[in-house]
Amino acid sequence: MGVNHCGLVALLALSISIVEISSKFEFTNIMCNSLDKQFSDFEYCYIKSVNRSYKYVSIKAKLFKTPITKINGVILKRFNGYNGYRPFMFNITLDACRFMNNTKSNPIASYLYDFIRPFTNMNHNCPYDHDLVIEKLPIHFVNHQVTKVLPVPEGDYLYETNWMAYDIRRAVVKVYGTIS
Ligand SMILES: *[C@@H]1O[C@H](CO)[C@@H](O)[C@H](O)[C@H]1NC(C)=O
Ligand SMILES: *[C@@H]1O[C@H](CO)[C@@H](O)[C@H](O)[C@H]1NC(C)=O
Ligand SMILES: *[C@@H]1O[C@H](CO)[C@@H](O)[C@H](O)[C@H]1NC(C)=O
């Protein structure tokens, strides 16, 4: 009984470590699209590969007008036999000011926000009347989020955010990645 139990624990530990080793995140593409250039535009938006293990995403959005009021975040996954990506797990829209005032108020939004939290200057209460930056969000940080914090199955993913002011979409940011 004791031996079996130890064996089971060892097997579990082994399978967990195999999962951890084999789960690996890669950025595959990024798209930043301003839908209203009077309102905002992107100064840069790119994936940089420094070397095989250090890759990061940087985005800078310039705001010209009224502040962002709502943000929609969706995670989509590519399914076999389906022509494109379908929403997977989360599709949430929230009042940016209310959420940033208390990021614990919404656990799902909090998980999505945690992907960028240490790398962004949005890290404060409203108003956001300055350029919005995500600077050098590294692949190993995203990898930690999708394998350790909340493990996500293998596949091709799209993390889409829609930035709204007064209920009109002003900008879209799409980050594509693969977990293998
Ligand atoms: C990749 O680049 C980073 C930053 O320059 C460096 O710290 C790291 O050692 C490099 N890794 C490899 C495997 O060269
Ligand atoms: C997310 O939900 C909103 C509101 O229900 C909807 O308008 C939008 O199309 C959804 N996004 C995706 C990618 O399906
Ligand atoms: C932020 O939270 C504080 C304390 O909970 C509250 O008094 C204030 O009205 C909130 N502000 C916004 C913009 O929600």
Side-chain angles (χ1 to χ4, degrees):
M1 191 68 176
V3 171
N4 283 344
H5 182 70
C6 285
L8 184 63
V9 170
L11 189 65
L12 277 175
L14 183 67
S15 62
I16 288 167
S17 67
I18 287 169
V19 168
E20 284 181 354
I21 289 164
S22 64
S23 288
K24 199 166 174 303
F25 176 83
E26 286 283 353
F27 292 120
T28 51
N29 201 2
I30 184 168
M31 275 174 41
C32 298
N33 205 351
S34 170
L35 306 174
D36 178 355
K37 298 215 162 134
Q38 305 277 305
F39 178 82
S40 69
D41 207 356
F42 293 94
E43 189 172 314
Y44 52 78
C45 170
Y46 63 88
I47 301 169
K48 167 121 179 148
S49 291
V50 176
N51 55 38
R52 209 189 294 177
S53 54
Y54 183 42
K55 295 172 190 171
Y56 62 78
V57 156
S58 287
I59 300 171
K60 181 172 182 182
K62 302 187 80 70
L63 290 185
F64 304 128
K65 275 195 182 162
T66 44
I68 295 287
T69 52
K70 277 190 189 162
I71 300 174
N72 164 255
V74 195
I75 292 187
L76 300 99
K77 186 177 195 291
R78 187 150 70 184
F79 287 95
N80 282 340
Y82 185 86
N83 194 12
Y85 289 81
R86 290 164 69 184
F88 179 75
M89 300 201 297
F90 310 125
N91 176 0
I92 55 164
T93 300
L94 46 86
D95 180 308
C97 292
R98 203 178 301 162
F99 172 68
M100 292 303 284
N101 198 28
N102 178 11
T103 57
K104 291 197 176 75
S105 61
N106 185 327
I108 293 170
S110 185
Y111 174 73
L112 295 178
Y113 172 54
D114 279 347
F115 279 87
I116 60 165
R117 189 196 296 258
F119 305 97
T120 184
N121 68 347
M122 281 176 267
N123 212 338
H124 62 81
N125 284 356
C126 280
Y128 303 107
D129 47 8
H130 53 74
D131 296 344
L132 302 178
V133 176
I134 295 170
E135 202 60 49
K136 297 186 177 175
L137 163 64
I139 204 160
H140 61 79
F141 184 81
V142 177
N143 197 46
H144 180 81
Q145 282 290 116
V146 299
T147 61
K148 305 275 164 54
V149 178
L150 178 63
V152 174
E154 288 184 1
D156 297 327
Y157 289 91
L158 161 57
Y159 180 4
E160 177 180 317
T161 52
N162 293 283
W163 302 76
M164 289 167 269
Y166 306 109
D167 286 328
I168 298 171
R169 266 191 341 149
R170 312 288 178 156
V172 186
V173 174
K174 295 181 176 182
V175 179
Y176 294 82
T178 296
I179 302 170
S180 55

